[in-house]
Amino acid sequence: MKTRANMGIAGKTVCVFVLFTITKGVRTVEYKRVSATVGNSSVLTCSPKSDMTMVTWRISPEAGSLCILGYRTDENKTDRINCSDSVDWKFRPDQDLALEIRQVGIADEGNYTCDVASPDGNFPKTYHLTVLVPPRLILSCDDHGNPVCKAATGKPAAQISWVLESNSTPKEEGHANGTVTVLSKFTAYSTSMINTTCIVFHPTGNQSKSVVCQLPKNSFILHVSIIFCILIIITFLAVIYYIKLHSDRLCHITKPPETSVTHFPQDDTMEVEPYTTYVQKENIIYNSVSDLTVGQNLPQGLFQQYE
């Protein structure tokens, strides 16, 4: 039983020692973001340790292969694997562990890790390098006399503002190398001349430029001609409407009123005349028969049955 207890204690001691060793060897990686303007140099520092045995710089660019710079203190020897000439120790590594990137380019953007090894463990420190590209400010006037401001091939994308207020919406165009061109057009109405200033905001520095744009004569004449034609058309339509409206009123006034059919006494006479003629003829016949009866001494009631 005592032996087993001793073995348990020994096992626990080994586990504690292993955990202590792991905890001691693994440390939190220090992470830092830095930036550099294209064409300039960038220096990344690395803190030394009194009992360090080896220092390693591992460079992982976003586009390209891994680069390694190494230094062994016991042999005072350096080595490099797959690194360009622009990336090197700033001084002798036995004096300074800093890394220098000369004439920074867009391809140098990525992670740079310095790892210092010592009996107490590894002490890594990582930098994320962002490469800045200043945009080129181009200010001009277009064919219509509007100022056009362009912040060409900047990284990151620039912001454009006008001294005079404008409702222009900037347009961005990305390029394969990661740069962006921003275009903004100043729009103004009811003016033949524009005097304004374009301001470009960027992390590498702000820029500004002024320009005076004048509306082209041909364009001015064209605008005036279009407005004149529109006014003529509106006037012509108004005249047609006026004529049509008054012609309808004239027709309504001069239209003869409807009259009812009237009967004249002559018409009644013409309608009664046939009956009067008929009665006169009957009276003549009757008188003739009456005279004949009296003359011949005939009884008068003889013909009454035929009446």
Side-chain angles (χ1 to χ4, degrees):
M1 295 292 294
K2 187 177 181 179
T3 304
R4 289 184 179 180
N6 292 335
M7 291 180 62
I9 294 173
K12 291 180 180 180
T13 304
V14 171
C15 291
V16 170
F17 176 77
V18 171
L19 290 174
F20 176 77
T21 303
I22 294 174
T23 305
K24 187 178 179 180
V26 177
R27 298 179 182 274
T28 303
V29 178
E30 185 180 352
Y31 188 83
K32 186 177 181 179
R33 291 182 177 273
V34 295
S35 61
T37 302
V38 65
N40 294 344
S41 295
S42 180
V43 177
L44 307 178
T45 61
C46 185
S47 300
K49 298 294 179 182
S50 58
D51 55 350
M52 62 183 182
T53 58
M54 186 171 62
V55 178
T56 304
W57 274 101
R58 292 191 304 274
I59 303 165
S60 304
E62 294 182 357
S65 55
L66 179 67
C67 160
I68 297 177
L69 290 176
Y71 169 66
R72 290 188 60 176
T73 58
D74 57 344
E75 298 179 1
N76 194 22
K77 179 182 177 181
T78 60
D79 196 5
R80 58 189 300 126
I81 300 174
N82 197 30
C83 297
S84 63
D85 295 336
S86 62
V87 179
D88 205 346
W89 305 97
K90 182 174 178 57
F91 303 104
R92 288 175 49 182
D94 59 341
Q95 299 177 358
D96 193 341
L97 302 179
L99 180 73
E100 182 180 19
I101 309 167
R102 295 183 292 272
Q103 295 183 346
V104 174
I106 297 178
D108 294 323
E109 192 168 80
N111 293 327
Y112 293 73
T113 301
C114 172
D115 192 356
V116 178
S118 71
D120 295 331
N122 288 37
F123 299 86
K125 183 178 182 179
T126 299
Y127 295 89
H128 179 78
L129 176 64
T130 300
V131 179
L132 306 177
V133 181
R136 292 183 295 109
L137 173 57
I138 303 173
L139 185 60
S140 60
C141 303
D142 63 7
D143 297 335
H144 301 287
N146 296 317
V148 178
C149 186
K150 179 187 293 185
T153 59
K155 184 176 181 296
Q159 294 182 348
I160 296 178
S161 178
W162 296 94
V163 172
L164 297 177
E165 293 184 0
S166 173
N167 58 356
S168 174
T169 301
K171 297 180 180 179
E172 296 185 1
E173 179 185 0
H175 305 286
N177 60 354
T179 59
V180 181
T181 295
V182 183
L183 179 68
S184 178
K185 179 182 293 186
F186 183 90
T187 55
Y189 305 97
S190 303
T191 179
S192 60
M193 182 177 295
I194 303 173
N195 185 356
T196 186
T197 301
C198 173
I199 304 176
V200 174
F201 300 94
H202 196 264
T204 59
N206 301 332
Q207 308 175 54
S208 64
K209 188 179 291 187
S210 300
V211 68
V212 177
C213 297
Q214 188 171 3
L215 189 66
K217 293 182 178 180
N218 295 336
S219 178
F220 178 75
I221 295 174
L222 178 61
H223 290 170
V224 172
S225 300
I226 292 174
I227 294 174
F228 184 71
C229 291
I230 293 175
L231 291 177
I232 290 177
I233 293 173
I234 294 174
T235 304
F236 180 73
L237 294 176
V239 170
I240 292 177
Y241 177 77
Y242 178 82
I243 294 175
K244 183 178 179 181
L245 180 63
H246 282 265
S247 63
D248 291 342
R249 290 182 178 179
L250 184 61
C251 292
H252 179 73
I253 294 173
T254 57
K255 184 177 180 181
E258 296 181 0
T259 58
S260 59
V261 180
T262 57
H263 298 276
F264 297 95
Q266 184 180 358
D267 296 335
D268 295 336
T269 305
M270 293 178 64
E271 293 179 1
V272 176
E273 184 177 358
Y275 178 77
T276 306
T277 305
Y278 173 77
V279 172
Q280 290 176 352
K281 289 181 179 182
E282 289 292 329
N283 291 336
I284 294 172
I285 295 173
Y286 179 80
N287 292 334
S288 300
V289 173
S290 177
D291 292 340
L292 180 61
T293 305
V294 172
Q296 296 181 4
N297 296 321
L298 296 176
Q300 293 183 358
L302 180 64
F303 296 97
Q304 292 181 352
Q305 60 180 345
Y306 299 103
E307 292 182 4

